[in-house]
Amino acid sequence: GGLRIQSTINSEIQETAEKLFKNKVEELRVKMGDQLNGGMLSVDVPTGGIRACIGGYDFRQSQFNRAFRAVRQIGSSFKPIIYTVALQNGASFDSLEIDEPLEVPLDGEKVWKPRNWTNRFDGMMTLARAISCSNNIVTVKTFLKFGHKMVIDLAKRFGYHRGLSPYPSLALGIAEATVEENVAAFNIFANNGVYVKPYLIEWVKDEWGNRLWENDSESRRVLDSKISSQMAN
């Protein structure tokens, strides 16, 4: 119909992303099987404009767009939320906590015993070390110290809204999100504490050059810039 549509995609970044994504999936498929797939987004930090978008390994095999539609538990990528809450409530990355065996009573007679991915305990460490090596025990302890309410409230401001159950396992990422939602959340740290919603289309014009539609980016401040700077560092 003569419409002109301007996307946010950068062809060079897109081409590079496709090569890197393909190589990584092939590497992982050797270990995890040929059904492994995924999605990938690269966004412009201040605007949220999507510079590269990959919805899966091979469009001919599957047209399902995993960047926008696939919902998965986000695991350790939820941990920065826990440490952000800690910083907001008087802790610092120099604060000390002990990595040790932990038992958390649940409903009834059940006891939850989280473990580290290394299957060892490293004793006293700073919160900075705990987040940098993705320590589970210190993260759960920090979650228990500040409580699920503050964590869930902040997670919602980050754009997470699925699987935010008030259980200690939330600290280890039982929340669910799409790739788009997770990228938008992480971008807050890069963008001085401001959330911007990722988008793909800049504008639409008719055949005469009249602008019919223009993107109006959603943005909001989520964190104080000092907190986001500490987290980014």
Side-chain angles (χ1 to χ4, degrees):
L3 294 180
R4 295 175 58 207
I5 301 171
Q6 177 67 49
S7 82
T8 60
I9 295 293
N10 177 298
S11 58
E12 292 183 7
I13 296 176
Q14 178 71 28
E15 184 177 345
T16 300
E18 289 177 5
K19 290 178 181 178
L20 292 171
F21 181 85
K22 184 174 185 289
N23 291 340
K24 191 63 178 179
V25 170
E26 289 176 350
E27 174 189 324
L28 291 171
R29 282 185 170 186
V30 172
K31 305 174 185 176
M32 304 176 71
D34 290 340
Q35 297 304 309
L36 183 135
N37 215 316
M40 179 178 176
L41 289 181
S42 174
V43 302
D44 181 61
V45 170
T47 68
I50 296 171
R51 300 302 184 227
C53 174
I54 300 172
Y57 178 75
D58 188 337
F59 184 78
R60 292 168 297 182
Q61 295 177 0
S62 170
Q63 291 79 53
F64 182 69
N65 192 324
R66 292 160 185 82
F68 297 105
R69 298 177 62 192
V71 176
R72 295 289 183 272
Q73 289 188 335
I74 59 178
S76 291
S77 61
F78 190 77
K79 289 176 180 176
I81 301 288
I82 311 298
Y83 292 97
T84 299
V85 168
L87 293 182
Q88 289 177 325
N89 289 276
S92 75
F93 276 125
D94 291 331
S95 299
L96 296 172
E97 188 56 82
I98 301 175
D99 176 23
E100 61 187 345
L102 179 65
E103 295 186 359
V104 182
L106 300 178
D107 298 335
E109 299 179 356
K110 295 181 180 179
V111 175
W112 182 52
K113 300 179 181 179
R115 297 183 301 171
N116 292 317
W117 63 274
T118 59
N119 285 320
R120 69 170 190 263
F121 303 101
D122 293 329
M124 190 75 73
M125 65 174 64
T126 62
L127 296 190
R129 182 183 173 195
I131 190 173
S132 65
C133 67
S134 194
N135 183 279
N136 285 346
I137 301 300
V138 173
T139 304
V140 172
K141 282 187 169 185
T142 304
F143 174 88
L144 294 172
K145 181 177 181 178
F146 294 100
H148 68 266
K149 186 179 187 306
M150 284 192 287
V151 171
I152 290 174
D153 287 348
L154 184 61
K156 289 178 178 178
R157 294 180 63 196
F158 267 68
Y160 298 121
H161 56 275
R162 304 181 193 87
L164 297 175
S165 301
Y167 304 119
S169 54
L170 177 62
L172 305 184
I174 63 171
E176 298 178 329
T178 63
V179 172
E180 177 193 14
E181 290 164 347
N182 223 22
V183 168
F186 259 70
N187 191 52
I188 292 170
F189 299 119
N191 197 30
N192 286 319
V194 176
Y195 171 93
V196 287
K197 183 174 176 58
Y199 68 99
L200 264 172
I201 304 299
E202 294 278 12
W203 48 255
V204 179
K205 295 180 180 179
D206 65 16
E207 58 186 314
W208 308 108
N210 299 310
R211 191 160 296 198
L212 304 178
W213 181 87
E214 185 174 9
N215 178 70
D216 184 15
S217 295
E218 175 189 342
S219 67
R220 61 179 183 272
R221 177 160 292 283
V222 175
L223 299 178
D224 180 276
S225 59
K226 291 181 180 180
I227 298 290
S228 66
S229 177
Q230 289 182 66
M231 289 300 303
N233 288 336

